[in-house]
């Protein structure tokens, strides 16, 4: 199998072997997660859960249904020949059944596969969302992460730009929900139909389309001469290259209309989108930008990306229309659009803005037996309260009170419930409200 960082089933070369095990003694294993991956201990997991809760809340507000797919897919799902980075960094390998498989680098092809699998049993339009871990295998020279979680929202079966407008509205809703405003971020919006119309006007074949988009997406990442060279190398004549680069610098829809003429779909779609943005109330969030094409080969129409206005961070999210992806997999040619929203840049943005949420562990009660022979009684009290929906940290071994108070503070317990002999004999327990210090004896069956 090609070296791609995974161990595969065969022997691993010495450079990849783990620490040597010396007979009758084991050297400490590497306790760090694999290169480019993250653990989520409680504090980090609270922030991730908070982020995902906000993703899910917005998805609920927009009437989207949650779906998920295997993180492992057939490699074929992601084999596209448009020169995308996502292809170069595919985390792929041959499994023990000699099948070519890959850790998914994105969720959209899995969505397309499932929609085709379900076929006519699905009633359109579909509004599906997913939050899934996605992978890439990148040489660690760049030290970048190899996994991230992506929130995806997709609308299948709606050819109108109303679908893209709805998707952008959902992201605006998300930003507002976590305290981000239009002065912090915006959306650059364009249509790939602009490029399509240029290729047609130079009677250049449509199969150049995807490759040209992938090259143009690198316009801010590599020198312009390199862009021109790559465009020439995929077969664009110099005249077409110059026209294309001229169009990419257009700053307004009216200017674009002058160049393209008013009859094309690109202008119509963009005008409709900006008009709908007015009605949705998010005009201040979006701007036309002819240089945005996004880097995925399958986009065919409107494309958009969320950016931080301070210009310090990479794109926050991105998406667009991909009307032919399903048909390239042998399915019906269903119209489709969607976006991906990663879990990393947004956290960097919140840190920049100083609005990361303060998330503390939440447990309502800590229950402790004062004597070892009351451990069972404490378990009974804990169970009774849990059946009433109360969260309980049950102290599971005899501990000095000082230890119990320290733990109560660390886990931010609201109440301390002590099970002591004297009270227990009266069918009572001692309850201390830890914020006020107020203490009382309460009958067990009156506890709530
Ligand atoms: N596609 C992709 C996957 C994983 C990461 Br990290 N970034 C991009």
């Amino acid at each position: 199998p090609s070296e791609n960082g995974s161990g595969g089933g065969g022997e691993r070369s010495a450079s990849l072997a783990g620490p040597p095990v010396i007979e009758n003694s084991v050297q400490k294993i590497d306790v760090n997660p694999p290169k480019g991956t993250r653990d989520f201990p409680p504090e980090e997991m609270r922030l991730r859960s908070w982020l995902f809760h906000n993703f899910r809340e917005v998805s609920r507000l927009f009437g989207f249904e949650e779906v998920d797919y295997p993180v492992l897919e057939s490699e074929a799902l992601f084999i596209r020949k448009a020169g995308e980075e996502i292809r170069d960094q595919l985390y792929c390998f041959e499994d023990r059944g000699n099948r070519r498989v890959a850790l998914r680098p994105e969720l959209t092809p899995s969505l397309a596969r499932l929609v085709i699998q379900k076929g006519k049993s699905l009633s359109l339009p579909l509004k599906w969302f997913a939050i899934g871990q996605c992978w890439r295998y990148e040489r660690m020279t760049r030290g970048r992460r190899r996994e991230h979680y992506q929130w995806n929202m997709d609308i299948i079966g709606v050819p109108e730009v109303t679908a893209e407008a709805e998707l952008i509205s959902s992201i605006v809703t998300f930003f507002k929900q976590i305290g981000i405003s239009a002065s912090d971020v915006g959306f650059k919006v364009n249509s790939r139909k602009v490029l399509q119309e240029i290729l047609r006007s130079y009677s250049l074949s449509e199969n150049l389309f995807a490759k040209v988009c992938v090259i143009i997406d690198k316009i801010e990442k590599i020198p312009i001469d390199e862009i021109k060279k790559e465009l020439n190398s995929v077969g664009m004549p110099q005249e077409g290259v110059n026209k294309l680069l001229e169009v990419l610098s257009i700053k307004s829809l009216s200017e674009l209309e002058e160049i393209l003429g008013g009859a094309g779909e690109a202008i119509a779609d963009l005008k409709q989108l900006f008009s709908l943005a007015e009605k949705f109330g998010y005009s201040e969030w979006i701007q036309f930008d002819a240089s945005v094409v996004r880097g995925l080969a399958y986009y065919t129409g409107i494309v958009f990306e969320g950016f931080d206005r301070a210009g310090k961070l990479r794109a926050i999210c991105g998406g667009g229309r991909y009307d032919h992806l399903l048909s390239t997999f042998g399915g019906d040619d269903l119209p489709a659009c969607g976006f991906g929203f990663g879990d990393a840049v947004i956290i960097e943005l919140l840190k920049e803005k100083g609005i990361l949420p303060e998330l503390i562990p939440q447990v309502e009660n800590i229950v402790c037996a004062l004597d070892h022979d009351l451990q069972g009684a404490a378990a009974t009290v804990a169970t009774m309260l849990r059946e009433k929906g109360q969260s309980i940290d049950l102290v599971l071994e005899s501990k000095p009170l000082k230890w119990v108070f320290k733990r109560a503070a660390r886990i931010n317990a609201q109440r301390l419930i002590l099970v002591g002999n004297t009270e227990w004999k009266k069918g009572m327990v001692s309850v201390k409200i830890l914020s006020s210090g107020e203490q009382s004896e309460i009958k067990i069956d009156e506890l709530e």
Side-chain angles (χ1 to χ4, degrees):
S2 62
E3 164 49 41
N4 53 28
S6 75
E11 284 312 304
R12 291 160 64 110
S13 66
S15 62
L16 287 177
V21 172
I22 300 156
E23 278 312 308
N24 304 327
S25 76
V26 174
Q27 277 205 349
K28 184 175 164 189
I29 57 156
D30 178 356
V31 290
N32 294 306
K35 277 185 174 40
T37 70
R38 299 165 292 174
D39 292 314
F40 288 90
E43 186 174 356
E44 284 77 2
M45 194 62 200
R46 283 197 290 274
L47 180 57
R48 179 176 128 183
S49 299
W50 170 85
L51 186 67
F52 288 13
H53 167 74
N54 281 281
F55 287 158
R56 286 199 167 85
E57 175 55 18
V58 171
S59 305
R60 184 190 65 82
L61 290 175
F62 280 72
F64 279 57
E65 296 177 279
E66 186 161 12
V67 295
D68 196 6
Y69 326 95
V71 74
L72 184 73
E73 286 277 12
S74 162
E75 182 188 49
L77 214 55
F78 311 108
I79 301 293
R80 302 188 289 260
K81 295 183 173 43
E84 297 157 283
E85 184 183 67
I86 205 166
R87 168 80 184 82
D88 302 339
Q89 298 176 341
L90 196 59
Y91 210 128
C92 53
F93 57 98
E94 194 162 293
D95 72 10
R96 293 182 188 278
N98 300 105
R99 293 177 204 84
R100 291 297 305 172
V101 290
L103 297 180
R104 65 189 176 197
E106 55 168 328
L107 300 175
T108 309
S110 299
L111 176 142
R113 176 179 61 70
L114 183 57
V115 171
I116 297 168
Q117 178 202 127
K118 294 291 183 189
K120 302 278 183 272
S121 71
L122 294 171
S123 60
L124 300 178
L126 298 178
K127 296 179 185 178
W128 288 359
F129 85 93
I131 302 173
Q133 191 174 35
C134 296
W135 294 81
R136 67 181 172 197
Y137 183 76
E138 190 178 60
R139 304 273 164 225
M140 278 319 273
T141 43
R142 293 172 64 176
R144 294 199 300 176
R145 280 186 299 101
R146 287 182 174 162
E147 53 76 24
H148 71 174
Y149 285 83
Q150 257 197 31
W151 171 42
N152 276 214
M153 296 260 273
D154 290 87
I155 299 174
I156 312 296
V158 176
E160 286 279 319
V161 174
T162 43
E164 289 93 320
E166 173 83 334
L167 289 174
I168 295 173
S169 178
S170 73
I171 309 174
V172 168
T173 303
F174 171 79
F175 280 133
K176 289 158 75 172
Q177 191 168 280
I178 65 170
I180 294 289
S181 73
S183 55
D184 299 316
V185 307
F187 292 87
K188 294 173 185 171
V189 179
N190 189 19
S191 172
R192 281 195 172 179
K193 289 179 183 175
V194 171
L195 172 70
Q196 205 169 38
E197 287 172 29
I198 292 174
L199 292 182
R200 277 191 195 132
S201 67
Y202 284 84
S203 51
L204 292 169
S205 75
E206 303 261 331
N207 69 16
L208 271 183
F209 178 67
K211 288 178 183 168
V212 170
C213 288
V214 171
I215 294 168
I216 295 299
D217 181 60
K218 299 184 279 190
I219 201 148
E220 287 174 7
K221 300 161 195 162
I222 62 177
I224 191 67
D225 288 346
E226 185 54 36
I227 294 284
K228 290 178 181 173
K229 213 181 292 178
E230 289 193 28
L231 290 173
N232 289 145
S233 70
V234 297
M236 268 198 87
Q238 198 47 49
E239 191 192 352
V241 171
N242 295 337
K243 180 71 175 177
L244 176 62
L245 295 177
E246 178 199 339
V247 167
L248 294 178
S249 57
I250 288 175
K251 294 300 173 214
S252 72
L253 279 188
S254 47
E255 200 187 329
L256 182 68
E257 191 161 10
E258 277 168 34
I259 296 243
L260 292 184
E265 287 183 23
I267 284 291
D269 287 352
L270 286 162
K271 280 183 172 178
Q272 190 185 4
L273 185 73
F274 278 84
S275 162
L276 285 165
E278 194 70 40
K279 302 290 185 278
F280 274 102
Y282 62 72
S283 292
E284 56 176 342
W285 291 74
I286 66 170
Q287 64 198 54
F288 170 68
D289 186 324
S291 68
V292 169
V293 289
R294 299 299 293 166
L296 292 169
Y298 47 68
Y299 288 133
T300 55
I302 293 283
V303 286
F304 54 87
E305 69 185 29
F307 71 99
D308 91 283
R309 294 191 189 276
K312 291 182 184 168
L313 304 173
R314 308 180 305 286
I316 302 165
C317 57
R321 179 162 288 279
Y322 53 97
D323 280 348
H324 304 310
L325 181 63
L326 278 83
S327 56
T328 61
F329 287 162
D332 294 340
D333 200 26
L334 286 178
C337 60
F339 68 79
F341 194 124
D343 70 339
V345 179
I346 184 62
I347 297 300
E348 290 171 40
L349 179 71
L350 293 173
K351 283 177 183 166
E352 283 283 324
K353 302 292 174 192
I355 54 171
L356 268 183
E358 291 196 14
L359 304 166
I360 49 178
Q362 299 286 345
V363 73
E364 285 148 315
N365 306 276
I366 180 167
V367 172
C368 175
L370 286 179
D371 304 299
H372 187 268
D373 55 13
L374 284 171
Q375 194 59 50
T380 303
V381 171
T383 303
M384 192 192 63
L385 279 171
R386 282 167 177 157
E387 283 166 355
K388 292 179 177 177
Q390 288 269 324
S391 59
I392 312 287
D393 178 79
L394 177 60
V395 176
L396 299 169
E397 46 190 341
S398 297
K399 287 291 182 185
L401 260 187
K402 189 176 174 201
W403 181 96
V404 177
F405 275 95
K406 196 171 174 190
R407 178 171 175 81
R410 193 184 64 71
I411 64 174
N412 191 33
Q414 309 301 303
R415 288 193 313 187
L416 168 59
I417 296 175
L418 295 171
V419 183
N421 268 311
T422 318
E423 297 81 2
W424 190 247
K425 285 193 177 94
K426 297 182 290 181
M428 303 177 90
V429 289
S430 163
V431 178
K432 188 183 185 75
I433 307 301
L434 292 167
S435 55
S436 65
E438 178 197 346
Q439 183 149 349
S440 56
E441 289 188 359
I442 296 181
K443 282 205 175 89
I444 296 154
D445 49 13
E446 289 171 7
L447 255 186
E448 55 189 12

